[in-house]
Amino acid sequence: MKIIVTGGAGFIGGNFVHYMIKKYPEYDIICLDKLTYAGNLETLEPVMDNPKFKFVKGDIADREFVYKLFEEEKPDIIVNFAAESHVDRSISDPGIFLQTNIIGTGVLLDACREYGIKRYHQVSTDEVYGDLPLDRPDLFFTETTPLHTSSPYSASKASADLLVLAYHRTFKIPVTISRCSNNYGPYHFPEKLIPLMIANCLNDKPLPVYGKGENVRDWLYVEDHCHAIDLIIHDGKVGEVYNIGGHNERTNLQVVETIIDALGKSRDLIQYVTDRPGHDMRYAIDPTKIHNELGWEPETKFDEGIKRTIDWYLNNKPWWEKIISGEYQNYYEKMYSGR
Ligand SMILES: NC(=O)c1ccc[n+]([C@@H]2O[C@H](COP(=O)([O-])OP(=O)(O)OC[C@H]3O[C@@H](n4cnc5c(N)ncnc54)[C@H](O)[C@@H]3O)[C@@H](O)[C@H]2O)c1
């Protein structure tokens, strides 16, 4: 089995590469990544010399490049993680989100049409459903909840989902889509809530919290997400959407306080800042379908997962310190100039 993992130098894609290489040592895994600011080759360092792994630098929206890769590699499965993924960045500069998240997905689907594929899997997000009110804890997103996006990021992801489903219906491309809630765990870029708070806490810097910190997210340990995608690409039904979430709802403030307490710091570090425009209030996934059809359930509870994540950041300071200093961006040159 040969799998192209796009966006594998990012947070979830990187974790997925490690998960798959460990679980299926006989598979060939190719990571295709543009190495934007969010891509970090050091995440893949432990597998770089594995003969069953290959890294290819490129843009999923570059048609010529993608077609050539498909022609040469003849992959069986594509798992598309590659995306611009930061909501705040999509508010300040939406254009690149449309280019990568929509056009890039279209190019990958066209390549699947052209060269044939056993499975195309689109990694999507619960943000395509919009948000839920704080005063209705009984409500959850199911796979039939209408798409109702709030940010350029979520709108670009929803557009990509619609393209994927249209290519299935029109061209019979064997696709699946997963829509997952917020992930956390190792290799998470320190501009996102949890790693940012851990890094700032360790550096005794202020902890910026949007608004009153009451927005609720449904946190899933990244390995549980990888396991869900593994089940979907092998046993999921073609043409189907699967929601992935762990019933681990926390307000942003609760998350920040948990990190402060675990690191023995003062809650005075919290600094409330002006809220994000259009900030979604609550996300909450109903994962009944993937549980009933594929037997998936999250294995890591939030309290355990956050401890493991904090330990990882404590034990892997060079990884995130190089990101904060910007040094990680020289890594590709260092790794590849002599190869
Ligand atoms: N992080 C979450 O909590 C979360 C939750 C649900 C779904 N998702 C989805 O999962 C996927 C991965 O998210 P993440 O948090 O790991 O993102 P990330 O920003 O950490 O990583 C994205 C990766 O994609 C690469 N990339 C960007 N543009 C590219 C392009 N044009 N061509 C090739 N590579 C490109 C980047 O270099 C980076 O390595 C995204 O599609 C995101 O929408 C994320």
Side-chain angles (χ1 to χ4, degrees):
M1 190 72 80
K2 190 181 270 191
I3 304 185
I4 293 184
V5 178
T6 71
F11 165 44
I12 309 175
N15 276 281
F16 186 72
V17 166
H18 291 300
Y19 172 99
M20 291 299 282
I21 286 180
K22 195 166 159 210
K23 183 155 178 195
Y24 303 101
E26 71 281 14
Y27 282 14
D28 289 296
I29 307 285
I30 298 166
C31 167
L32 157 58
D33 198 295
K34 187 179 168 186
L35 295 183
T36 67
Y37 79 94
N40 183 358
L41 262 195
E42 294 207 36
T43 297
L44 297 172
E45 193 172 51
V47 295
M48 268 314 183
D49 291 325
N50 185 320
K52 302 297 275 180
F53 175 76
K54 183 151 127 191
F55 177 80
V56 184
K57 185 173 185 231
D59 185 341
I60 58 164
D62 179 343
R63 188 172 292 271
E64 205 178 316
F65 165 81
V66 169
Y67 278 31
K68 191 159 169 277
L69 185 69
F70 272 64
E71 198 174 312
E72 281 170 11
E73 297 292 351
K74 301 182 178 46
D76 300 296
I77 298 178
I78 306 297
V79 183
N80 182 26
F81 291 93
E84 288 293 333
S85 70
H86 193 39
V87 175
D88 289 341
R89 287 176 185 257
S90 83
I91 294 169
S92 49
D93 182 13
I96 185 67
F97 285 71
L98 312 191
Q99 177 65 16
T100 288
N101 299 1
I102 308 174
I103 305 290
T105 298
V107 168
L108 290 173
L109 289 166
D110 280 338
C112 292
R113 272 183 79 195
E114 187 73 22
Y115 296 98
I117 198 83
K118 290 201 180 97
R119 177 67 63 88
Y120 173 90
H121 183 73
Q122 177 74 1
V123 180
S124 186
T125 162
D126 61 355
E127 298 195 30
V128 298
Y129 298 122
D131 66 351
L132 297 164
L134 288 181
D135 59 358
R136 289 293 308 274
D138 55 314
L139 295 181
F140 295 90
F141 298 132
T142 71
E143 289 78 0
T144 55
T145 301
L147 303 187
H148 187 77
T149 57
S150 310
S151 68
Y153 163 67
S154 53
S156 67
K157 292 296 290 184
S159 307
D161 284 10
L162 294 176
L163 258 188
V164 171
L165 293 174
Y167 270 61
H168 171 63
R169 169 92 185 240
T170 307
F171 304 116
K172 308 280 178 282
I173 308 287
V175 306
T176 39
I177 296 178
S178 53
R179 294 183 180 143
C180 188
S181 59
N182 280 53
N183 283 215
Y184 67 102
Y187 301 115
H188 204 177
F189 197 81
E191 68 179 352
K192 302 283 175 86
L193 182 76
I194 289 181
L196 178 72
M197 296 302 154
I198 296 173
N200 281 13
C201 251
L202 290 172
N203 290 327
D204 290 310
K205 285 172 70 176
L207 309 178
V209 171
Y210 280 136
K212 295 181 194 151
E214 61 190 353
N215 307 64
V216 172
R217 301 290 180 260
D218 181 2
W219 292 98
L220 186 73
Y221 193 62
V222 63
E223 213 173 83
D224 281 323
H225 188 183
C226 296
H227 179 218
I229 295 174
D230 171 16
L231 291 174
I232 296 169
I233 60 176
H234 289 102
D235 301 319
K237 265 195 230 135
V238 161
E240 293 290 317
V241 174
Y242 293 91
N243 279 356
I244 309 170
H247 288 306
N248 275 308
E249 288 182 50
R250 296 283 187 288
T251 67
N252 287 347
L253 191 58
Q254 282 172 328
V255 170
V256 174
E257 287 176 350
T258 305
I259 293 168
I260 293 174
D261 295 349
L263 289 170
K265 300 286 179 172
S266 162
R267 291 190 180 184
D268 292 342
L269 284 175
I270 294 175
Q271 192 178 71
Y272 293 97
V273 298
T274 312
D275 211 349
R276 166 191 285 166
H279 204 173
D280 284 339
M281 289 316 296
R282 172 175 169 254
Y283 304 137
I285 282 279
D286 176 354
T288 306
K289 178 173 171 179
I290 189 168
H291 176 70
N292 289 349
E293 284 189 19
L294 302 176
W296 177 86
E297 56 187 15
E299 281 167 18
T300 308
K301 288 273 168 241
F302 186 77
D303 292 340
E304 169 57 26
I306 197 78
K307 266 197 219 117
R308 273 204 243 165
T309 305
I310 290 172
D311 282 348
W312 189 87
Y313 279 85
L314 283 170
N315 294 328
N316 291 275
K317 270 189 170 182
W319 182 89
W320 56 268
E321 281 176 345
K322 277 187 211 155
I323 292 180
I324 290 174
S325 73
E327 201 192 315
Y328 76 108
Q329 281 167 324
N330 303 325
Y331 188 79
Y332 181 78
E333 293 307 321
K334 260 193 272 162
M335 278 298 288
Y336 279 85
S337 54
R339 282 172 104 103

